[in-house]
Structure formats: C-alpha cells, structure tokens
Amino acid sequence: MLFRSAETAFDHNFGQDLQLQQIYGGGIGWTALKTPKQEADFKATMQYEKQSFISGSSGNQNLIGSTFGADYVLHLKLLTYNQGLAFIPAYNQPRAYSANETNTVAFPAYKNLSFSLGTSDSYLNGPPASLPPTKRNSFQFTMGLTYAIKSKY
C-alpha cells in the first residue's frame, strides 16, 4: 500500500554541539507488511533542513536533502516493539549527512498505559569543531510511560 507523508522533526543534542536541527518535508511511503501482529513501512521524503550549533554561526547550515527511513512494529501479548531507522543525506552539502536508529519496547501496565524502555542512536557527520570536542555519535537509553491511542482502522 502506498501513502503520502509529511514530516516535521526537531532535534537538540548537547553532546553533538547541536543547538537545534529543524526538518520540514514531504514524500511517499510504502507499507510492505501489514498483519494484525506486525507492520513494516518504508518512506522517502524531500526536505529542507536547518542545523544551528551551540559553538556559533560558523557551522550553521541550510540543507536540501531527503530522509530514507524504515519503521517496524511488532505487537505481542505482553509487549510492543518499535524500531525506526533513518538515513538523512544532504544534497547541497554531501558531507552533512546523518543517521538515526530508535528501538522501544513497551509493556502494558493499565488499559492504554504502558511502561517503555528504549534506545536512541544518532550520528551527525558534519558538526563544527568545538571545545570540548564534538562527538559525532550519541547513544541514549530511555525509560518512561507511554499512552497508546487506539485506532479503529
């Protein structure tokens, strides 16, 4: 099944010297697998991306690029697993690409409320030099409560 998509994303990461990354775009997607227990989607977008860095305006960038992504969801009786992968190349600055991966496991707690554990791995190829030195890769562990809005479709 094909679908249209619109994307807006905001990111801040002190370890990568990223004050704010803004992404605005749109594109198409394809649902490759859809069963009651699992779903896999692929998408591609064209977008405008602005990166502002903490160390100053010398590394700030206005980029034209894309997001090529894949999302997978697995619903089991005692847990829900979500994985998202994205590669974000920039066409006007080829060295300014980035990539992200997220993984989340949610355990039902009460009705639509779940306890969740997750990881987020973010790679930013073109951050400017700064003191302390900028890390290109950022790995985070998350934990929290998730509320699911159930769809009838």
Side-chain angles (χ1 to χ4, degrees), residues 67-84:
T67 295
F68 299 103
D71 294 302
Y72 177 73
V73 180
L74 174 64
H75 299 284
L76 299 175
K77 187 173 183 168
L78 297 177
L79 64 92
T80 299
Y81 172 72
N82 287 290
Q83 182 178 45

Side-chain angles (χ1 to χ4, degrees), residues 102-113:
T102 58
N103 296 285
T104 305
V105 178
F107 303 94
Y110 179 74
K111 294 191 179 184
N112 293 347
L113 194 63

Side-chain angles (χ1 to χ4, degrees), residues 2 9 14 21 28-29 36 42 46 59-61 63-65 78-79 88-89 125 136:
L2 288 173
F14 183 75
Q21 175 177 275
I28 59 169
F42 298 96
M46 283 296 295
N60 294 349
Q61 303 183 85
L63 306 170
I64 301 298
L78 297 177
L79 64 92
I88 308 169
N125 189 54
R136 291 181 181 203

Side-chain angles (χ1 to χ4, degrees), residues 27-112:
I28 59 169
W30 173 53
T31 301
L33 173 68
K34 186 168 179 85
T35 68
K37 290 195 176 212
Q38 55 187 340
E39 182 174 337
D41 297 324
F42 298 96
K43 68 177 180 178
T45 65
M46 283 296 295
Q47 65 204 23
Y48 165 75
E49 178 179 352
K50 181 174 182 172
Q51 294 177 338
S52 302
F53 293 92
I54 297 168
S55 60
S57 63
S58 64
N60 294 349
Q61 303 183 85
N62 291 297
L63 306 170
I64 301 298
S66 290
T67 295
F68 299 103
D71 294 302
Y72 177 73
V73 180
L74 174 64
H75 299 284
L76 299 175
K77 187 173 183 168
L78 297 177
L79 64 92
T80 299
Y81 172 72
N82 287 290
Q83 182 178 45
L85 305 166
F87 175 65
I88 308 169
Y91 302 126
N92 60 331
Q93 297 280 338
R95 69 177 211 33
Y97 64 87
S98 57
N100 299 304
E101 177 186 11
T102 58
N103 296 285
T104 305
V105 178
F107 303 94
Y110 179 74
K111 294 191 179 184
N112 293 347

